[in-house]
Coordinates of all heavy atoms in Angstrom, one line a residue:
V710 N 18.1 -18.0 12.3 CA 17.8 -17.4 13.6 C 17.5 -18.6 14.5 O 16.9 -19.6 14.1 CB 16.6 -16.4 13.6 CG1 15.4 -17.0 13.1 CG2 16.5 -15.8 14.9
A715 N 11.7 -18.3 27.9 CA 12.0 -17.7 29.2 C 12.7 -18.6 30.0 O 13.6 -18.2 30.9 CB 10.8 -17.2 29.8
A776 N 14.3 4.7 -14.2 CA 13.8 5.6 -15.3 C 13.2 6.8 -14.7 O 12.6 6.7 -13.6 CB 12.9 4.9 -16.2
N886 N -0.2 8.8 -22.2 CA -0.5 9.7 -21.2 C -1.4 9.0 -20.1 O -2.3 8.3 -20.5 CB -1.3 10.9 -21.7 CG -1.6 11.9 -20.7 OD1 -2.6 11.9 -20.0 ND2 -0.8 13.0 -20.5
M1056 N -5.1 -4.6 -12.4 CA -3.7 -4.3 -12.2 C -3.5 -3.2 -11.1 O -4.1 -2.2 -11.0 CB -3.2 -3.6 -13.5 CG -1.7 -3.2 -13.5 SD -1.3 -2.3 -15.0 CE -1.6 -3.5 -16.4
T1078 N -16.0 -7.2 0.6 CA -15.5 -7.5 -0.7 C -15.3 -6.2 -1.5 O -14.3 -6.0 -2.1 CB -16.3 -8.5 -1.4 OG1 -16.3 -9.7 -0.7 CG2 -15.7 -8.8 -2.8

Side-chain angles (χ1 to χ4, degrees):
V710 61
N886 181 273
M1056 181 188 295
T1078 299

